[in-house]
Amino acid sequence: DAKTTQPTSMDCAEGRAANLPCNHSTISGNEYVYWYRQIHSQGPQYIIHGLKNNETNEMASLIITEDRKSSTLILPHATLRDTAVYYCIVRAMNSGNTPLVFGKGTRLSVIA
Amino acid sequence: NAGVTQTPKFQVLKTGQSMTLQCAQDMNHNSMYWYRQDPGMGLRLIYYSASEGTTDKGEVPNGYNVSRLNKREFSLRLESAAPSQTSVYFCASSELRVGNQPQHFGDGTRLSIL
């Protein structure tokens, strides 16, 4: 699976959009971009994933650049409960059920 | 809908004691995983079970054993606990089918070895 680079930490004002970047410049054509988050003292929570098209669900939007070398997770209206560590993971389409590889992630602090 | 349930939530052991961590999922997933997370670090895979009846080692299997009891349950056993095994343990599950399926995690077992 390709390596990802994320900022160590970010702040966001409550009610504003949180934009979390991820660089995956070595991504290959059959690799998906996944986002998970981990709120303090809880297990990781799946957020969203995509291959090359932008994706949106009830939690967030995922914007993938045309060259697929980077992506941005957008939380449209951040709340205090969105304070967490966010992990960007790149994974091959045919990974089957091999385990996820979590890096250090971005610690997002939502500030009132 | 409970998802992935882990028991116990907290446990303190003495060095050398044995213990089994339990995990059950109610999503009819084929694959299950055990991870550990140490302070300030990402998750590391201990063992996983791609489907009922199979288990495979992950990144850090030493000192652990697993049992895939049935499709729902996947247990992790420490035969002789060591202080280095103090950690938070997470169980996860996912579907087994073509393409990438997200993993769903329990809320963890916090284990301290004295």
Side-chain angles (χ1 to χ4, degrees), chain B residues 24-65:
Chain B
Q25 50 91 10
D26 62 5
M27 295 173 282
N28 202 36
H29 287 167
N30 282 286
S31 300
M32 298 185 73
Y33 313 81
W34 276 105
Y35 295 86
R36 63 177 286 176
Q37 186 173 35
D38 299 307
M41 297 183 66
L43 278 75
R44 293 184 292 170
L45 183 73
I46 305 171
Y47 271 94
Y48 68 103
S49 171
S51 61
E52 188 178 355
T54 68
T55 60
D56 286 284
K57 295 179 179 180
E59 181 185 356
V60 289
N62 291 343
Y64 305 94
N65 286 300

Side-chain angles (χ1 to χ4, degrees), chain B residues 73-88:
Chain B
E73 299 171 289
F74 188 39
S75 63
L76 179 71
R77 183 162 178 83
L78 287 71
E79 289 291 353
S80 179
S84 62
Q85 294 177 304
T86 293
S87 191
V88 182

